[in-house]
């Protein structure tokens, strides 16, 4: 979890810095943090579209310049051909329901996070898909 918090410091998000680390057999496979796509201006440079539109946290996750930490970690694994079947993911914050679906389809079996996130659908996805979740205190 400490590595996830360290990775989160790379984020340029003006609201919430999130880090994710995918681990299997006690080895780090990939990391990610919330950030806009490569070569796109960062939110701390151009401002937050969510603020501009008055969108509350946990709502309309698709309206954001940035990708979530879990998305970036999964894309990093895919880009370098790293399998995530039966892996675990450590995330500084509870995944949103969009990321929960990606985590499930990536074959990740365990999600460990520290901070809550206002998306109640995540719990349903993880329960029905038999994904183990742990909240680290």
């Amino acid at each position: 979890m400490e590595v996830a918090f360290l990775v989160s410091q790379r984020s340029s998000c003006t609201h919430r810095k999130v880090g994710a680390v995918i681990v299997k057999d006690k080895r780090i496979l990939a990391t990610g943090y919330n950030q806009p796509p490569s070569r796109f201006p960062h939110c701390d440079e151009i401002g937050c579209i969510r603020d501009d539109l008055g969108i509350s946290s946990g709502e309309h996750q698709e309206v954001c310049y940035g990708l979530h930490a879990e998305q970036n970690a999964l894309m990093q694994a895919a880009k370098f051909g790293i399998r995530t079947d039966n892996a675990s993911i450590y995330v500084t914050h509870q995944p949103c329901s969009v990321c929960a679906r990606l985590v499930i389809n990536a074959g990740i079996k365990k999600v460990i996070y520290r901070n809550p996130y206002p998306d109640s659908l995540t719990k349903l996805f993880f329960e029905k898909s038999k994904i183990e979740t742990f909240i680290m205190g």
Side-chain angles (χ1 to χ4, degrees):
M1 185 60 77
E2 288 181 40
V3 174
F5 275 98
L6 183 63
V7 169
S8 76
Q9 295 309 302
R10 303 261 314 143
S11 171
S12 64
C13 181
T14 58
H15 291 281
R16 180 180 287 121
K17 294 182 181 303
V18 181
V21 180
I22 301 173
V23 176
K24 186 173 180 181
D25 299 327
K26 298 183 182 180
R27 296 186 187 272
I28 295 174
L29 303 180
T31 63
Y33 49 92
N34 54 327
Q35 191 88 334
S38 298
R39 298 181 299 280
F40 190 87
H42 293 207
C43 302
D44 58 1
E45 299 168 342
I46 62 172
C48 176
I49 191 172
R50 296 178 63 79
D51 286 348
D52 295 343
L53 298 174
I55 299 172
S56 298
S57 183
E59 295 179 8
H60 301 289
Q61 291 103 338
E62 73 280 3
V63 181
C64 183
Y65 296 136
L67 295 158
H68 290 189
E70 303 91 328
Q71 294 167 340
N72 276 321
L74 290 168
M75 284 186 283
Q76 183 184 74
K79 183 176 181 178
F80 294 106
I82 299 169
R83 295 179 55 114
T84 56
D85 286 342
N86 298 310
S88 299
I89 188 167
Y90 290 81
V91 193
T92 58
H93 294 71
Q94 173 191 320
C96 71
S97 58
V98 173
C99 288
R101 288 175 264 190
L102 294 171
V103 163
I104 292 163
N105 279 357
I108 291 175
K109 299 296 182 194
K110 188 185 300 185
V111 177
I112 304 99
Y113 64 92
R114 181 164 299 155
N115 299 302
Y117 184 76
D119 190 336
S120 57
L121 194 51
T122 297
K123 184 177 178 183
L124 176 69
F125 279 125
F126 286 155
E127 283 177 359
K128 297 289 184 187
S129 301
K130 297 182 177 25
I131 304 297
E132 292 182 76
T133 58
F134 299 93
I135 303 170
M136 276 187 114

